[in-house]
Amino acid sequence: MPAPDLRLVAALAAAKSTYRATRLLGKSGGTALPGFVAERIDPAIIRKIAARLPQGAIVVAGTNGKTTTARLLSAMLAAGGLRVRNNRAGSNLSRGIASTFARESGIGGHPRADVAVLETDEAAFPAIVAAVRPRMVILNNLFRDQLDRYGELHTIATKWSDALATLPEGATLVYDADDPTLCALAQRAPASVVRVPFGLGTHPYALAELSHAADAALCTKCGTLLAYHQLSVGHLGDWYCPTGDNTRPPLAFRADAITLHGIDGASSTITYSGDHSDDAADAPLPLTTLLPGLYNVYYSLAAAAAARTFGIQPAAIAAAAARFVAPFGRVERVTVRGRRLTLALIKNPTGANEVVRLLLTAPPAPLLICINDLTADGRDVSWLWDTDFELLADYPAPVLVSGIRAADMAVRLKYAGVPDAHITVVPEIADALVAVAERADAGGDAFVIPTYTAMLAAREALYKLGALQNVWDTAEDAPPHVAKNGTKSGKVKRGIGFGALGTLGVAAMQCIRRAKR
Protein backbone atom coordinates (compact mmCIF):
# COMPACT_ATOMS: atom_id res chain seq x y z
CA MET A 1 0.00 0.00 0.00
CA PRO A 2 1.38 3.47 -0.87
CA ALA A 3 2.00 5.81 2.03
CA PRO A 4 -0.87 8.26 2.63
CA ASP A 5 -0.47 11.78 1.30
CA LEU A 6 -0.40 13.59 4.65
CA ARG A 7 -0.77 17.03 3.17
CA LEU A 8 -3.87 15.93 1.28
CA VAL A 9 -5.26 14.23 4.38
CA ALA A 10 -4.76 17.42 6.38
CA ALA A 11 -6.46 19.52 3.69
CA LEU A 12 -9.44 17.18 3.54
CA ALA A 13 -9.82 17.04 7.32
CA ALA A 14 -9.77 20.82 7.60
CA ALA A 15 -12.18 21.27 4.69
CA LYS A 16 -14.67 18.73 6.04
CA SER A 17 -14.70 20.34 9.48
CA THR A 18 -15.10 23.79 7.93
CA TYR A 19 -18.01 22.57 5.82
CA ARG A 20 -19.79 21.10 8.83
CA ALA A 21 -19.28 24.27 10.85
CA THR A 22 -20.60 26.59 8.14
CA ARG A 23 -23.69 24.44 7.60
CA LEU A 24 -24.49 24.12 11.29
CA LEU A 25 -24.03 27.84 11.86
CA GLY A 26 -26.18 28.58 8.82
CA LYS A 27 -23.75 31.24 7.64
CA SER A 28 -23.21 29.83 4.16
CA GLY A 29 -23.73 26.76 2.03
CA GLY A 30 -20.18 25.57 2.52
CA THR A 31 -19.64 25.84 -1.23
CA ALA A 32 -16.42 27.89 -1.20
CA LEU A 33 -14.86 28.37 2.26
CA PRO A 34 -13.94 24.69 2.79
CA GLY A 35 -12.13 24.70 -0.55
CA PHE A 36 -10.34 27.92 0.32
CA VAL A 37 -9.09 26.29 3.54
CA ALA A 38 -8.14 23.08 1.71
CA GLU A 39 -6.15 24.90 -0.97
CA ARG A 40 -4.20 26.85 1.65
CA ILE A 41 -3.03 23.53 3.12
CA ASP A 42 -2.61 21.61 -0.15
CA PRO A 43 -2.71 23.77 -3.31
CA ALA A 44 -2.69 20.58 -5.43
CA ILE A 45 -5.88 19.09 -3.94
CA ILE A 46 -7.90 19.44 -7.17
CA ARG A 47 -5.18 17.86 -9.30
CA LYS A 48 -4.63 14.98 -6.88
CA ILE A 49 -8.29 13.99 -6.54
CA ALA A 50 -9.11 14.51 -10.22
CA ALA A 51 -6.28 12.14 -11.16
CA ARG A 52 -7.99 9.40 -9.10
CA LEU A 53 -11.31 9.56 -10.98
CA PRO A 54 -11.65 6.29 -12.94
CA GLN A 55 -13.38 7.98 -15.89
CA GLY A 56 -11.85 11.41 -15.58
CA ALA A 57 -13.44 14.84 -15.46
CA ILE A 58 -15.72 16.90 -17.68
CA VAL A 59 -15.34 20.68 -17.56
CA VAL A 60 -18.30 22.88 -18.53
CA ALA A 61 -17.69 26.53 -19.44
CA GLY A 62 -19.63 29.36 -21.01
CA THR A 63 -21.04 32.74 -20.16
CA ASN A 64 -24.59 31.46 -19.73
CA GLY A 65 -26.03 28.06 -18.84
CA LYS A 66 -23.06 26.45 -17.08
CA THR A 67 -24.96 25.37 -13.99
CA THR A 68 -27.97 24.04 -15.90
CA THR A 69 -25.83 22.14 -18.42
CA ALA A 70 -23.56 20.65 -15.77
CA ARG A 71 -26.44 19.61 -13.52
CA LEU A 72 -28.43 18.10 -16.39
CA LEU A 73 -25.39 16.23 -17.73
CA SER A 74 -24.71 14.91 -14.22
CA ALA A 75 -28.26 13.60 -14.07
CA MET A 76 -27.87 11.91 -17.47
CA LEU A 77 -24.58 10.26 -16.49
CA ALA A 78 -26.10 9.08 -13.20
CA ALA A 79 -29.09 7.65 -15.10
CA GLY A 80 -26.53 5.72 -17.13
CA GLY A 81 -25.19 4.08 -13.98
CA LEU A 82 -22.19 6.29 -13.21
CA ARG A 83 -21.31 7.80 -9.84
CA VAL A 84 -20.99 11.53 -10.50
CA ARG A 85 -19.50 14.46 -8.58
CA ASN A 86 -20.68 17.96 -9.50
CA ASN A 87 -20.24 21.40 -7.93
CA ARG A 88 -24.03 21.55 -7.83
CA ALA A 89 -24.58 24.96 -6.23
CA GLY A 90 -22.64 26.72 -8.99
CA SER A 91 -19.57 27.66 -6.94
CA ASN A 92 -17.31 27.58 -9.98
CA LEU A 93 -13.96 29.03 -8.94
CA SER A 94 -11.17 26.70 -7.86
CA ARG A 95 -12.22 26.97 -4.22
CA GLY A 96 -15.73 25.78 -5.11
CA ILE A 97 -14.39 22.77 -6.98
CA ALA A 98 -11.96 22.02 -4.14
CA SER A 99 -14.92 22.18 -1.72
CA THR A 100 -16.86 19.68 -3.83
CA PHE A 101 -13.95 17.26 -3.99
CA ALA A 102 -13.19 17.62 -0.27
CA ARG A 103 -16.80 17.14 0.80
CA GLU A 104 -17.42 14.08 -1.35
CA SER A 105 -14.04 12.32 -1.05
CA GLY A 106 -12.83 9.97 1.65
CA ILE A 107 -10.33 11.30 4.17
CA GLY A 108 -7.53 9.61 2.23
CA GLY A 109 -8.50 11.34 -1.02
CA HIS A 110 -10.55 8.62 -2.71
CA PRO A 111 -13.13 10.51 -4.84
CA ARG A 112 -15.99 8.01 -4.32
CA ALA A 113 -17.08 8.70 -7.90
CA ASP A 114 -16.48 7.50 -11.44
CA VAL A 115 -16.52 10.92 -13.09
CA ALA A 116 -16.69 14.60 -12.12
CA VAL A 117 -18.73 17.21 -13.99
CA LEU A 118 -17.28 20.60 -13.10
CA GLU A 119 -18.67 23.93 -14.18
CA THR A 120 -16.09 26.69 -14.19
CA ASP A 121 -16.06 30.45 -14.21
CA GLU A 122 -14.91 31.95 -17.51
CA ALA A 123 -11.74 33.44 -16.03
CA ALA A 124 -10.97 30.31 -13.96
CA PHE A 125 -11.31 27.98 -16.97
CA PRO A 126 -7.58 27.83 -17.87
CA ALA A 127 -6.52 27.01 -14.30
CA ILE A 128 -9.22 24.36 -13.87
CA VAL A 129 -8.32 22.72 -17.19
CA ALA A 130 -4.66 22.64 -16.15
CA ALA A 131 -5.53 21.10 -12.79
CA VAL A 132 -8.02 18.39 -13.79
CA ARG A 133 -6.71 17.47 -17.27
CA PRO A 134 -10.29 16.86 -18.46
CA ARG A 135 -11.41 14.00 -20.63
CA MET A 136 -14.08 16.28 -22.09
CA VAL A 137 -14.72 20.03 -22.30
CA ILE A 138 -18.14 21.54 -23.05
CA LEU A 139 -18.31 25.14 -24.28
CA ASN A 140 -21.83 26.61 -24.21
CA ASN A 141 -21.37 30.14 -25.53
CA LEU A 142 -19.33 33.28 -25.12
CA PHE A 143 -21.19 36.54 -24.44
CA ARG A 144 -20.14 39.88 -23.02
CA ASP A 145 -20.45 39.65 -19.23
CA GLN A 146 -19.05 41.57 -16.25
CA LEU A 147 -16.61 43.69 -18.24
CA ASP A 148 -15.00 44.92 -15.02
CA ARG A 149 -13.99 41.33 -14.15
CA TYR A 150 -13.43 39.60 -17.48
CA GLY A 151 -12.75 42.29 -20.05
CA GLU A 152 -14.05 42.09 -23.60
CA LEU A 153 -14.82 38.83 -25.39
CA HIS A 154 -11.44 38.75 -27.10
CA THR A 155 -9.70 38.63 -23.72
CA ILE A 156 -11.61 35.55 -22.59
CA ALA A 157 -11.42 33.91 -26.02
CA THR A 158 -7.63 34.23 -26.02
CA LYS A 159 -7.36 32.65 -22.57
CA TRP A 160 -9.68 29.83 -23.58
CA SER A 161 -7.71 29.18 -26.76
CA ASP A 162 -4.52 28.88 -24.73
CA ALA A 163 -6.23 26.48 -22.32
CA LEU A 164 -7.59 24.28 -25.12
CA ALA A 165 -4.07 23.96 -26.48
CA THR A 166 -3.11 22.11 -23.29
CA LEU A 167 -5.87 19.46 -23.44
CA PRO A 168 -4.57 15.90 -23.17
CA GLU A 169 -4.34 13.87 -26.37
CA GLY A 170 -7.69 12.37 -27.34
CA ALA A 171 -9.75 14.78 -25.22
CA THR A 172 -13.19 15.68 -26.59
CA LEU A 173 -14.42 19.23 -27.21
CA VAL A 174 -18.23 19.52 -27.31
CA TYR A 175 -19.09 23.04 -28.42
CA ASP A 176 -21.99 25.16 -29.64
CA ALA A 177 -21.27 25.66 -33.33
CA ASP A 178 -24.02 28.30 -33.48
CA ASP A 179 -21.47 30.59 -31.77
CA PRO A 180 -18.91 31.83 -34.34
CA THR A 181 -16.35 32.58 -31.61
CA LEU A 182 -16.45 29.03 -30.29
CA CYS A 183 -16.05 27.68 -33.82
CA ALA A 184 -12.88 29.73 -34.20
CA LEU A 185 -11.57 28.34 -30.89
CA ALA A 186 -12.37 24.79 -31.97
CA GLN A 187 -10.51 25.30 -35.25
CA ARG A 188 -7.41 26.39 -33.34
CA ALA A 189 -7.49 23.46 -30.89
CA PRO A 190 -4.83 20.74 -31.34
CA ALA A 191 -5.45 18.16 -34.04
CA SER A 192 -5.59 15.40 -31.40
CA VAL A 193 -8.74 16.91 -29.87
CA VAL A 194 -12.00 15.25 -30.95
CA ARG A 195 -14.49 17.95 -31.99
CA VAL A 196 -18.23 17.49 -31.43
CA PRO A 197 -20.17 20.55 -32.70
CA PHE A 198 -23.85 20.96 -31.85
CA GLY A 199 -26.53 23.50 -32.80
CA LEU A 200 -30.16 24.11 -33.62
CA GLY A 201 -32.00 23.02 -36.73
CA THR A 202 -34.73 25.09 -38.35
CA HIS A 203 -37.31 26.35 -35.86
CA PRO A 204 -40.13 28.94 -35.73
CA TYR A 205 -38.62 31.11 -32.96
CA ALA A 206 -35.93 32.90 -34.94
CA LEU A 207 -35.01 36.55 -34.29
CA ALA A 208 -35.58 39.05 -37.06
CA GLU A 209 -32.17 40.69 -36.72
CA LEU A 210 -29.10 40.96 -34.55
CA SER A 211 -29.59 42.92 -31.36
CA HIS A 212 -27.75 46.23 -31.07
CA ALA A 213 -25.83 44.59 -28.21
CA ALA A 214 -24.75 41.53 -30.23
CA ASP A 215 -21.32 40.39 -29.15
CA ALA A 216 -19.87 38.52 -32.15
CA ALA A 217 -21.18 40.08 -35.33
CA LEU A 218 -18.00 39.88 -37.44
CA CYS A 219 -16.33 37.01 -39.27
CA THR A 220 -13.33 35.75 -37.28
CA LYS A 221 -11.36 35.26 -40.51
CA CYS A 222 -11.93 38.43 -42.54
CA GLY A 223 -13.89 40.84 -40.31
CA THR A 224 -16.93 40.99 -42.61
CA LEU A 225 -20.34 41.40 -40.97
CA LEU A 226 -21.82 37.92 -40.57
CA ALA A 227 -25.13 36.89 -42.13
CA TYR A 228 -27.59 34.31 -40.84
CA HIS A 229 -29.83 31.68 -42.36
CA GLN A 230 -31.44 31.65 -38.91
CA LEU A 231 -30.72 33.75 -35.81
CA SER A 232 -31.70 32.10 -32.52
CA VAL A 233 -30.29 33.68 -29.34
CA GLY A 234 -28.06 36.76 -29.19
CA HIS A 235 -25.48 36.13 -31.93
CA LEU A 236 -26.10 32.35 -31.95
CA GLY A 237 -27.55 30.79 -35.06
CA ASP A 238 -26.91 29.27 -38.45
CA TRP A 239 -24.30 31.84 -39.47
CA TYR A 240 -22.10 32.36 -42.51
CA CYS A 241 -19.73 34.95 -43.93
CA PRO A 242 -21.02 36.55 -47.16
CA THR A 243 -17.50 36.37 -48.64
CA GLY A 244 -17.70 32.57 -48.53
CA ASP A 245 -14.61 32.08 -46.37
CA ASN A 246 -16.38 30.96 -43.18
CA THR A 247 -19.61 29.21 -42.18
CA ARG A 248 -21.13 27.13 -39.41
CA PRO A 249 -19.56 23.65 -39.61
CA PRO A 250 -21.62 20.47 -40.10
CA LEU A 251 -23.29 19.54 -36.81
CA ALA A 252 -22.64 16.29 -34.98
CA PHE A 253 -25.76 16.85 -32.86
CA ARG A 254 -28.75 18.95 -33.88
CA ALA A 255 -32.01 19.88 -32.15
CA ASP A 256 -34.94 19.64 -34.58
CA ALA A 257 -38.74 19.83 -34.16
CA ILE A 258 -38.32 22.41 -31.38
CA THR A 259 -41.51 23.33 -29.53
CA LEU A 260 -41.55 25.82 -26.67
CA HIS A 261 -44.27 25.35 -24.04
CA GLY A 262 -44.17 28.81 -22.46
CA ILE A 263 -42.70 28.76 -18.96
CA ASP A 264 -43.59 25.08 -18.58
CA GLY A 265 -40.77 23.60 -20.66
CA ALA A 266 -39.70 22.66 -24.17
CA SER A 267 -39.38 19.64 -26.42
CA SER A 268 -37.16 18.77 -29.36
CA THR A 269 -35.75 15.86 -31.30
CA ILE A 270 -31.99 15.31 -31.15
CA THR A 271 -30.45 13.92 -34.32
CA TYR A 272 -26.90 12.62 -34.64
CA SER A 273 -24.79 12.87 -37.76
CA GLY A 274 -21.58 11.03 -37.00
CA ASP A 275 -19.57 8.08 -38.14
CA HIS A 276 -22.21 5.57 -36.95
CA SER A 277 -25.33 7.50 -37.90
CA ASP A 278 -26.85 4.25 -39.25
CA ASP A 279 -26.61 2.65 -35.80
CA ALA A 280 -30.07 2.09 -34.26
CA ALA A 281 -28.81 3.53 -30.96
CA ASP A 282 -28.29 6.85 -32.71
CA ALA A 283 -31.78 7.18 -34.12
CA PRO A 284 -33.49 10.55 -33.51
CA LEU A 285 -33.97 11.07 -29.78
CA PRO A 286 -37.13 12.86 -28.55
CA LEU A 287 -36.23 15.08 -25.60
CA THR A 288 -38.79 16.76 -23.35
CA THR A 289 -37.73 18.94 -20.42
CA LEU A 290 -39.25 21.22 -17.80
CA LEU A 291 -36.71 23.88 -18.83
CA PRO A 292 -38.42 26.72 -20.75
CA GLY A 293 -37.08 28.99 -23.45
CA LEU A 294 -34.94 28.54 -26.55
CA TYR A 295 -31.77 29.17 -24.56
CA ASN A 296 -32.53 26.11 -22.42
CA VAL A 297 -32.95 24.05 -25.60
CA TYR A 298 -29.29 24.82 -26.25
CA TYR A 299 -28.29 23.66 -22.76
CA SER A 300 -30.36 20.48 -23.01
CA LEU A 301 -28.78 19.76 -26.38
CA ALA A 302 -25.28 20.35 -24.98
CA ALA A 303 -25.90 17.91 -22.12
CA ALA A 304 -27.44 15.29 -24.42
CA ALA A 305 -24.57 15.58 -26.93
CA ALA A 306 -21.99 15.20 -24.17
CA ALA A 307 -23.80 12.29 -22.52
CA ARG A 308 -24.25 10.42 -25.81
CA THR A 309 -20.60 11.02 -26.73
CA PHE A 310 -19.67 9.70 -23.28
CA GLY A 311 -21.54 6.48 -24.09
CA ILE A 312 -24.83 6.95 -22.21
CA GLN A 313 -27.78 5.24 -23.88
CA PRO A 314 -30.57 7.40 -25.39
CA ALA A 315 -33.28 6.01 -23.07
CA ALA A 316 -31.31 7.07 -19.98
CA ILE A 317 -30.69 10.52 -21.46
CA ALA A 318 -34.36 11.07 -22.24
CA ALA A 319 -35.51 9.83 -18.82
CA ALA A 320 -33.08 12.09 -16.96
CA ALA A 321 -34.09 15.11 -19.04
CA ALA A 322 -37.80 14.54 -18.46
CA ARG A 323 -37.52 14.61 -14.65
CA PHE A 324 -34.81 17.26 -14.32
CA VAL A 325 -35.76 20.28 -12.20
CA ALA A 326 -34.24 23.71 -12.89
CA PRO A 327 -31.45 24.41 -10.38
CA PHE A 328 -31.00 27.19 -7.84
CA GLY A 329 -32.73 30.24 -9.30
CA ARG A 330 -32.59 29.19 -12.96
CA VAL A 331 -36.35 29.25 -13.63
CA GLU A 332 -36.94 27.86 -10.14
CA ARG A 333 -40.48 27.88 -8.75
CA VAL A 334 -41.57 28.48 -5.17
CA THR A 335 -44.87 29.23 -3.45
CA VAL A 336 -45.34 32.38 -1.36
CA ARG A 337 -48.70 33.13 0.28
CA GLY A 338 -50.55 30.93 -2.15
CA ARG A 339 -48.90 32.43 -5.25
CA ARG A 340 -46.34 30.74 -7.49
CA LEU A 341 -43.13 32.77 -7.91
CA THR A 342 -40.81 31.89 -10.80
CA LEU A 343 -37.18 32.97 -10.29
CA ALA A 344 -35.02 33.43 -13.40
CA LEU A 345 -31.43 34.63 -13.02
CA ILE A 346 -30.16 37.48 -15.23
CA LYS A 347 -26.61 38.80 -15.49
CA ASN A 348 -25.89 40.12 -18.99
CA PRO A 349 -27.80 41.55 -21.98
CA THR A 350 -28.23 38.30 -23.92
CA GLY A 351 -29.41 36.30 -20.93
CA ALA A 352 -31.72 39.06 -19.74
CA ASN A 353 -33.23 39.46 -23.21
CA GLU A 354 -34.03 35.75 -23.35
CA VAL A 355 -35.63 35.80 -19.90
CA VAL A 356 -37.80 38.77 -20.89
CA ARG A 357 -38.77 37.00 -24.12
CA LEU A 358 -39.71 33.96 -22.06
CA LEU A 359 -41.87 35.93 -19.63
CA LEU A 360 -43.75 37.53 -22.50
CA THR A 361 -44.88 34.10 -23.67
CA ALA A 362 -46.78 33.61 -20.39
CA PRO A 363 -49.98 35.35 -19.25
CA PRO A 364 -49.06 38.77 -17.77
CA ALA A 365 -48.26 38.61 -14.06
CA PRO A 366 -46.60 40.96 -11.54
CA LEU A 367 -42.87 41.22 -12.18
CA LEU A 368 -40.03 41.95 -9.74
CA ILE A 369 -36.57 42.91 -11.06
CA CYS A 370 -33.79 42.77 -8.43
CA ILE A 371 -30.45 44.37 -9.36
CA ASN A 372 -27.32 44.23 -7.20
CA ASP A 373 -23.82 45.35 -8.12
CA LEU A 374 -21.65 43.37 -5.72
CA THR A 375 -18.46 41.69 -6.91
CA ALA A 376 -20.20 38.44 -7.90
CA ASP A 377 -22.69 40.42 -10.01
CA GLY A 378 -20.13 42.74 -11.58
CA ARG A 379 -19.83 46.33 -10.40
CA ASP A 380 -20.58 47.71 -13.85
CA VAL A 381 -24.34 47.76 -14.47
CA SER A 382 -24.15 49.49 -17.84
CA TRP A 383 -25.42 46.23 -19.33
CA LEU A 384 -28.90 47.25 -18.20
CA TRP A 385 -28.91 49.79 -21.04
CA ASP A 386 -27.95 47.12 -23.58
CA THR A 387 -30.82 44.89 -22.52
CA ASP A 388 -34.04 45.25 -24.51
CA PHE A 389 -36.29 46.28 -21.61
CA GLU A 390 -38.27 48.17 -24.23
CA LEU A 391 -40.08 44.85 -24.66
CA LEU A 392 -41.78 45.66 -21.35
CA ALA A 393 -43.10 49.06 -22.48
CA ASP A 394 -46.63 47.70 -22.92
CA TYR A 395 -46.44 45.14 -20.13
CA PRO A 396 -49.89 45.34 -18.52
CA ALA A 397 -48.98 44.02 -15.06
CA PRO A 398 -47.20 45.87 -12.21
CA VAL A 399 -43.39 45.99 -12.33
CA LEU A 400 -41.47 46.24 -9.05
CA VAL A 401 -37.75 46.93 -8.71
CA SER A 402 -35.49 46.17 -5.76
CA GLY A 403 -31.89 45.61 -4.74
CA ILE A 404 -28.88 47.88 -4.38
CA ARG A 405 -29.42 49.41 -7.82
CA ALA A 406 -33.22 49.56 -7.66
CA ALA A 407 -33.27 53.27 -8.52
CA ASP A 408 -31.08 52.67 -11.60
CA MET A 409 -33.42 49.93 -12.75
CA ALA A 410 -36.43 52.20 -12.27
CA VAL A 411 -34.78 54.85 -14.44
CA ARG A 412 -33.96 52.25 -17.08
CA LEU A 413 -37.60 51.11 -17.19
CA LYS A 414 -38.79 54.70 -17.49
CA TYR A 415 -36.54 55.24 -20.53
CA ALA A 416 -37.78 51.90 -21.92
CA GLY A 417 -41.29 53.34 -21.99
CA VAL A 418 -42.80 51.61 -18.96
CA PRO A 419 -45.37 54.04 -17.45
CA ASP A 420 -44.42 55.53 -14.09
CA ALA A 421 -47.67 54.28 -12.61
CA HIS A 422 -46.62 50.69 -13.30
CA ILE A 423 -43.21 50.99 -11.56
CA THR A 424 -42.81 50.54 -7.80
CA VAL A 425 -39.46 50.78 -6.01
CA VAL A 426 -39.16 48.48 -2.98
CA PRO A 427 -35.54 48.80 -1.75
CA GLU A 428 -35.41 45.68 0.45
CA ILE A 429 -35.58 42.40 -1.48
CA ALA A 430 -37.41 40.57 1.31
CA ASP A 431 -40.16 43.20 1.30
CA ALA A 432 -40.29 43.21 -2.48
CA LEU A 433 -40.91 39.43 -2.63
CA VAL A 434 -43.92 39.77 -0.38
CA ALA A 435 -45.14 42.81 -2.34
CA VAL A 436 -44.95 41.10 -5.73
CA ALA A 437 -46.72 38.01 -4.36
CA GLU A 438 -49.51 40.15 -2.90
CA ARG A 439 -50.02 41.85 -6.25
CA ALA A 440 -50.70 38.49 -7.91
CA ASP A 441 -54.11 36.85 -7.93
CA ALA A 442 -54.72 34.18 -5.29
CA GLY A 443 -53.34 30.94 -6.73
CA GLY A 444 -51.74 32.91 -9.58
CA ASP A 445 -48.22 33.64 -10.77
CA ALA A 446 -45.56 36.29 -10.27
CA PHE A 447 -42.08 36.56 -11.78
CA VAL A 448 -38.76 37.46 -10.14
CA ILE A 449 -35.66 38.17 -12.24
CA PRO A 450 -32.62 38.84 -10.01
CA THR A 451 -28.90 39.21 -10.51
CA TYR A 452 -26.72 36.63 -8.75
CA THR A 453 -26.31 38.09 -5.26
CA ALA A 454 -29.87 39.41 -5.40
CA MET A 455 -30.94 35.84 -6.06
CA LEU A 456 -29.06 34.69 -2.96
CA ALA A 457 -30.73 37.41 -0.92
CA ALA A 458 -34.11 36.43 -2.35
CA ARG A 459 -33.52 32.78 -1.47
CA GLU A 460 -32.63 33.72 2.10
CA ALA A 461 -35.84 35.73 2.36
CA LEU A 462 -37.85 32.88 0.82
CA TYR A 463 -36.34 30.47 3.34
CA LYS A 464 -37.49 32.70 6.20
CA LEU A 465 -40.95 32.82 4.61
CA GLY A 466 -41.05 29.01 4.55
CA ALA A 467 -41.02 28.82 0.75
CA LEU A 468 -37.67 27.00 0.61
CA GLN A 469 -36.39 24.11 2.68
CA ASN A 470 -32.85 25.43 2.56
CA VAL A 471 -31.16 28.60 1.32
CA TRP A 472 -28.28 26.83 -0.35
CA ASP A 473 -29.94 23.93 -2.13
CA THR A 474 -32.75 23.53 -4.59
CA ALA A 475 -35.82 21.96 -3.04
CA GLU A 476 -35.01 18.40 -4.11
CA ASP A 477 -31.49 18.65 -2.66
CA ALA A 478 -32.29 19.72 0.92
CA PRO A 479 -29.91 17.91 3.30
CA PRO A 480 -31.32 15.47 5.87
CA HIS A 481 -30.90 17.83 8.84
CA VAL A 482 -33.30 20.35 7.32
CA ALA A 483 -36.88 19.78 8.39
CA LYS A 484 -39.84 20.00 6.03
CA ASN A 485 -40.96 23.30 7.54
CA GLY A 486 -37.62 24.91 6.73
CA THR A 487 -36.22 24.88 10.27
CA LYS A 488 -32.96 23.24 11.25
CA SER A 489 -33.14 20.06 13.28
CA GLY A 490 -31.89 20.71 16.80
CA LYS A 491 -30.86 17.07 17.21
CA VAL A 492 -28.15 17.31 14.59
CA LYS A 493 -27.02 20.70 15.78
CA ARG A 494 -26.51 19.35 19.31
CA GLY A 495 -24.83 16.18 18.08
CA ILE A 496 -22.02 17.79 16.10
CA GLY A 497 -20.50 21.14 16.84
CA PHE A 498 -17.25 22.87 17.63
CA GLY A 499 -15.97 19.81 19.51
CA ALA A 500 -15.81 17.95 16.22
CA LEU A 501 -14.37 21.01 14.52
CA GLY A 502 -11.65 21.27 17.14
CA THR A 503 -10.79 17.56 16.95
CA LEU A 504 -10.46 17.65 13.18
CA GLY A 505 -8.53 20.91 13.36
CA VAL A 506 -5.98 19.39 15.74
CA ALA A 507 -5.67 16.35 13.50
CA ALA A 508 -5.14 18.60 10.49
CA MET A 509 -2.40 20.59 12.23
CA GLN A 510 -0.62 17.38 13.28
CA CYS A 511 -0.71 16.14 9.69
CA ILE A 512 0.67 19.45 8.45
CA ARG A 513 3.60 19.28 10.89
CA ARG A 514 4.38 15.72 9.81
CA ALA A 515 4.18 16.72 6.15
CA LYS A 516 6.65 19.57 6.73
CA ARG A 517 9.13 17.18 8.31
Side-chain angles (χ1 to χ4, degrees), residues 67 152 314 486 507:
T67 301
E152 291 288 352

mmCIF file of all heavy atoms in Angstrom, residues 67 152 314 486 507:
data_model
loop_
_atom_site.group_PDB
_atom_site.id
_atom_site.type_symbol
_atom_site.label_atom_id
_atom_site.label_comp_id
_atom_site.label_asym_id
_atom_site.label_seq_id
_atom_site.Cartn_x
_atom_site.Cartn_y
_atom_site.Cartn_z
ATOM 1 N N THR A 67 -24.391 26.157 -15.089
ATOM 2 C CA THR A 67 -24.960 25.370 -13.993
ATOM 3 C C THR A 67 -26.014 24.407 -14.508
ATOM 4 O O THR A 67 -26.023 23.225 -14.153
ATOM 5 C CB THR A 67 -25.569 26.298 -12.930
ATOM 6 O OG1 THR A 67 -24.548 27.169 -12.429
ATOM 7 C CG2 THR A 67 -26.154 25.505 -11.782
ATOM 8 N N GLU A 152 -13.258 42.365 -22.407
ATOM 9 C CA GLU A 152 -14.050 42.093 -23.603
ATOM 10 C C GLU A 152 -13.932 40.624 -24.023
ATOM 11 O O GLU A 152 -13.076 39.880 -23.519
ATOM 12 C CB GLU A 152 -13.577 43.004 -24.750
ATOM 13 C CG GLU A 152 -13.895 44.472 -24.545
ATOM 14 C CD GLU A 152 -15.384 44.778 -24.707
ATOM 15 O OE1 GLU A 152 -16.139 43.881 -25.114
ATOM 16 O OE2 GLU A 152 -15.775 45.914 -24.411
ATOM 17 N N PRO A 314 -29.523 6.386 -25.179
ATOM 18 C CA PRO A 314 -30.573 7.396 -25.393
ATOM 19 C C PRO A 314 -31.721 7.326 -24.393
ATOM 20 O O PRO A 314 -32.230 8.359 -23.955
ATOM 21 C CB PRO A 314 -31.053 7.090 -26.817
ATOM 22 C CG PRO A 314 -29.870 6.461 -27.484
ATOM 23 C CD PRO A 314 -29.193 5.660 -26.422
ATOM 24 N N GLY A 486 -38.678 23.941 6.988
ATOM 25 C CA GLY A 486 -37.616 24.910 6.730
ATOM 26 C C GLY A 486 -36.799 25.271 7.947
ATOM 27 O O GLY A 486 -35.951 26.143 7.886
ATOM 28 N N ALA A 507 -6.181 17.399 14.371
ATOM 29 C CA ALA A 507 -5.666 16.346 13.496
ATOM 30 C C ALA A 507 -5.031 16.937 12.245
ATOM 31 O O ALA A 507 -3.981 16.485 11.779
ATOM 32 C CB ALA A 507 -6.797 15.388 13.112
#
